[in-house]
Amino acid sequence: MSKADVLQGTLDLMVLKTLDSLGPLHGYGIAQRLLQVSDSALQLNQGTLYPALLRLEQRGWIASKWGTSENNRRARFYSLTRTGRRQLQREAEDWQRMAGIMARVLGGQEDAP
Amino acid sequence: MTLRELLARLAGALGRGRGDDELSTELSFHLEMLEAQHRARGLDPAAARRAARLDLGADAPIAEAWRDQRGLPPVDTFVQDVRYGSRMLRRTPGFTLAALLTLAIGIGANTAMFSVVDAVLLRPLPYPEPERLVAIGDRTADGQASSVGFATVLDWRERSRAIESFAMMRAWLPTLVTNGEAERLPAVRVSANYFDMMGVRPALGRGFTADDDRPEHWRVVLLSDALWRRRFNADPSIVGRTITMNDRAFRVVGVMPAGFEPLDAERFYNTSAELWAPIGYALGGDSSCRRCQHLRGFARVRRGVSLADASVEMNAIREQMRREHPSEYEAGSIAVVPLRDALTGNVRGALLVLLAAVGFVLLIACANVANLLLARAVTRRRELALRAVLGASRGRIVRQLLTESLLLAGGGAVAGVLLAAASLEAVAALAPVTLPRMSHIAIDARVLAFTAGLTILTSLIFGLVPAWREGRASAPRTLAVDSRGSVGGRSRAQAVLVVADLVLALVLLAGAGLMLRTVRAVVQTNPGFNPDRILALSFSLVGQAYAEDSAVVAFQERALQQLRALPGVDAVTLAGQVPFGGNGDCRGFHASGRMKPNPVDDPCIERYGVTPDYWGLMGIPVLAGRTFTEADTAAAQPVLVISESTARQVWGGDSPLGAQVRMGNSERGPWRTVVGVVADVHHDDLTASPAPAMYTPQTQFTDSFLVALVKSATLDPATLVAPVRAVFRSLDPSVPIYDVATLPELVAKSSAERQFVMRLLAAFAAVAVFLAAIGLYGVVSHGVAQRTREVGVRVALGAQRRDVLALVLAGGARLVAAGVAAGMAAAALATRSLGTLVFGVSPLDPLTFGAAAVMLTVVALGAHILPIRRALRIDPAAALRSE
């Protein structure tokens, strides 16, 4: 996968999962983490990340508050809420199922003559 | 979008929650971290900053995307447009003020007028299902329902399927005495089902029952809330108590609720009914004959039946009854009139004319503001083109311009509503007292909703043309073009708008002129008597003490004697009717030897009971024979004086003197000898021809409701009120005095409605002409500004002052000529809508039209004065240099 635009739904899921695994993070931290786990394949457009964070917050899946960063700067930290965690679980399951279906469908195609 | 998200976005749009500042703090932190990361990789600070910048991307698109997520885009753009728009408006205070003022006048006048129309014509009547209530009766000349007879209504009740209930009503003026204080009350007697039909219950006690509504039982009354408070201190124990009226005991059975609005088919001067009693008729009684038409009929149509169907059925029933009683009913028809129309009557036409006129004023205001917007567009063209270059779509720019229009209209509306609230009292003061439901006129939620709708409509009317034009003109390439390069189209649009201004103003001027001439014609109409210096006071002699006619006559004589003795009083007379109070006493006129084969077909002539001095005091010429003298006593031969038109109608060219006439009944009653003929007198409406009349002496036909007419050559009649009242108090303190007025006042009242229309139309026309002049001034002065260079060149080449003058006038004069010509045509069409309001002048009166055209032309030329002065002062050198 090259540096690609991220599907909106998948970005939401990735942000939720990131916050689930690492706990409260600021926007920079989230972007770094996604870059890291994707072996630099996911270079996030910040014009996508920040609106996504706001959207998740508006839906009540994440909460945010100002805090102090590791280098002693004011930064906004995002954390998963209880509904966010439920949402993550639901979406992750959906995604797994969908990924399984896709794998089967694509695998089946390989079998065809 | 979930509800939660929607609410969060709405909060964001309205500026609450996280703001742009927080985002930029967040982004600069992000940038700093990226920078630190690059520095850690060994880049120098400047390179690290550049690299971090590249990683993060430009702030603006991020913020834009974030903002899109934060709020609701349509609300956001609107809020932005409003902010931007108000900034733009503040930057051009002169323009903004002129537009706001114009709109405030236009919208304010409409708001005030609509509040009147709404209260009088539109608002549902305060009864359950008011659309099913109708006035019903034989049709009058103007299509309204007039009186009906008791027996007739009983037959209707039996035969009609379409109508659920019929109720009857008649005016009644009892005198109530409490604690020695006499007051004549405006009251009505109604059939027992009256309140049930209207769907209103008493607040205290009970309504009338069928048992109350019988000849021997009818002395029970219901009080209005106001009367109960005024005369009985809101005493809750009033129900069941007995009150005395006309020397008889009446039992109070209930009190009506405070907000109850009685049906005032008979209006008692300025007040409505305050007391109700049952009619108490029975078939076979004196008043139950089929030809005794003196009751007002009301009905509630059955649910689901249309008024048209009810009308068809009632007319079929009328035909049926006419076949059964051919001598009792004449050919004719029945009017089933919606109750509101019956109550608002002819005021409707006047109000609609005024509403249309005030609409014209608003249209003129719109045209002017559109013109101002077009003129301002020159200075804004570069700004708009710049926005277009920066990526604003045409729709976006049109929306921005319309938002500004809405802002202007909204500001105008707020000022207009304040203006309307302030002027409402003045309008009400101008209104004739006959305007029904006046007390309901107010600026309330309904009126404000109307104003809000009007404001949006207004902003579209004046905003659309300039917005569309500028939206188109703001194409990016305009940026390169000099703004002066493309003024042709706009000037044309401005010219069209100014011509529209002039046309509308001329229509209003012509309408106001016609009403002015109408009022003059009415005022100049000779009422047939001379009202100068005469005071009228009504009083009534009822009850046990005045049961006998002789007692009434004796009181009259004592009163005449004492009133004549008052200092300053020159003449006194007593009559049964107030001049200009109308006449309800119409009787069959059966002249011996001149009766129709069926005496029922003899004319019905209005009767007036008077004392001998009547004609002298009123200045009514005696044309033949004599008038009454002291010798015409109750014991003497009954005599009659008739009016000129009565003589003409019954006797043609022959002399009626000495003729014998029976009044009312052709077979019974005394023969009365005609002893004199007097000139005709208007007793009601000056614009209608005087009705035939007959006069009887008070001694021979005694009225118990009377009016004292007192004339003084030296004193202001108003100063006589107190001494005259004192005379009556000394004669009998229980005699109530009411309806005190001078005769000129009463005569003036008869043209009150037309005066009301005239004054408002004149006010609207003045505003219209003023606005049109301002609009014209704007265009002409704009034209001069545009042509500064041209004028400069011409002057440099030797043009004289008068050439410059001609140049400036040429443009404006064409507009004025076009406006006046089109305005004349439009006025000719529009003044027809004045209909019956116009009297004594043709709706196409050339004099009025000519005067309106001249007046408008003069004002229009006046609008040229300032631009001409400016043009004359143009210095050729400066004009050329300025390029």
Side-chain angles (χ1 to χ4, degrees), chain B residues 599-778:
Chain B
V600 163
D601 297 330
D602 281 338
C604 189
I605 304 284
E606 292 179 350
R607 182 195 72 87
Y608 298 87
V610 297
T611 58
D613 282 350
Y614 186 75
W615 296 277
L617 178 131
M618 294 285 281
I620 302 170
V622 178
L623 304 176
R626 66 167 176 96
T627 54
F628 303 146
T629 67
E630 301 297 337
D632 296 314
T633 58
Q637 158 66 31
V639 291
L640 205 59
V641 164
I642 60 175
S643 75
E644 198 181 347
S645 49
T646 306
R648 202 178 324 114
Q649 183 176 347
V650 179
W651 284 275
D654 303 340
S655 166
L657 295 182
Q660 301 291 302
V661 177
R662 259 197 181 129
M663 212 165 64
N665 194 313
S666 60
E667 285 153 24
R668 278 188 285 143
W671 286 102
R672 296 169 197 269
T673 308
V674 175
V675 297
V677 180
V678 297
D680 281 333
V681 169
H682 285 276
H683 277 283
D684 204 349
D685 186 349
L686 281 171
T687 61
S689 47
M694 61 177 158
Y695 299 85
T696 53
Q698 279 296 335
T699 45
Q700 296 176 352
F701 197 114
T702 311
D703 294 300
S704 38
F705 293 93
L706 289 150
V707 53
L709 298 163
V710 183
K711 181 163 183 155
S712 165
T714 48
L715 296 175
D716 175 359
T719 62
L720 289 169
V721 176
V724 172
R725 276 181 181 279
V727 166
F728 278 98
R729 210 175 307 118
S730 72
L731 286 170
D732 181 347
S734 76
V735 170
I737 305 279
Y738 47 87
D739 295 338
V740 179
T742 65
L743 289 199
E745 282 168 4
L746 292 178
V747 174
K749 221 186 231 174
S750 71
S751 61
E753 187 187 313
R754 288 192 171 94
Q755 300 236 20
F756 174 64
V757 174
M758 178 202 74
R759 287 188 189 145
L760 281 188
L761 262 189
F764 296 156
V767 172
V769 169
F770 175 69
L771 291 180
I774 290 192
L776 188 62
Y777 161 76

Side-chain angles (χ1 to χ4, degrees), chain B residues 252-330:
Chain B
V252 177
V253 295
V255 178
M256 292 308 291
F260 174 61
E261 236 181 84
L263 292 182
D264 284 327
E266 320 282 348
R267 284 197 57 93
F268 304 96
Y269 302 96
N270 297 330
T271 56
S272 47
E274 293 203 301
L275 187 118
W276 298 267
I279 286 188
Y281 286 177
L283 275 179
D286 281 348
S287 304
S288 73
C289 65
R290 289 179 186 278
R291 289 188 67 86
C292 301
Q293 298 193 356
H294 64 291
L295 299 171
R296 292 279 172 175
F298 296 99
R300 187 176 276 278
V301 178
R302 213 172 278 288
R303 211 171 269 129
V305 176
S306 73
L307 292 196
D309 289 346
S311 171
V312 167
E313 190 206 54
M314 287 310 299
N315 277 292
I317 291 174
R318 190 183 193 283
E319 279 315 301
Q320 212 176 51
M321 286 166 64
R322 196 164 115 81
R323 277 197 298 278
E324 291 164 22
H325 310 276
S327 63
E328 310 276 6
Y329 298 109
E330 287 156 34

Side-chain angles (χ1 to χ4, degrees), chain B residues 513-538:
Chain B
L514 288 177
M515 287 315 295
L516 194 75
R517 296 206 57 187
T518 293
V519 169
R520 261 175 63 98
V522 172
V523 169
Q524 283 175 354
T525 301
N526 181 2
F529 59 88
N530 176 10
D532 286 352
R533 316 196 77 88
I534 300 178
L535 177 73
L537 292 97
S538 296

Side-chain angles (χ1 to χ4, degrees), chain B residues 507-571:
Chain B
V507 170
L508 290 184
L509 263 181
L514 288 177
M515 287 315 295
L516 194 75
R517 296 206 57 187
T518 293
V519 169
R520 261 175 63 98
V522 172
V523 169
Q524 283 175 354
T525 301
N526 181 2
F529 59 88
N530 176 10
D532 286 352
R533 316 196 77 88
I534 300 178
L535 177 73
L537 292 97
S538 296
F539 64 101
S540 53
L541 303 170
V542 288
Q544 226 46 62
Y546 303 103
E548 298 293 326
D549 279 355
S550 56
V552 176
V553 170
F555 181 95
Q556 291 186 12
E557 271 159 14
R558 281 203 308 279
L560 280 174
Q561 227 170 43
Q562 296 202 16
L563 290 174
R564 282 194 187 113
L566 286 177
V569 169
D570 296 315

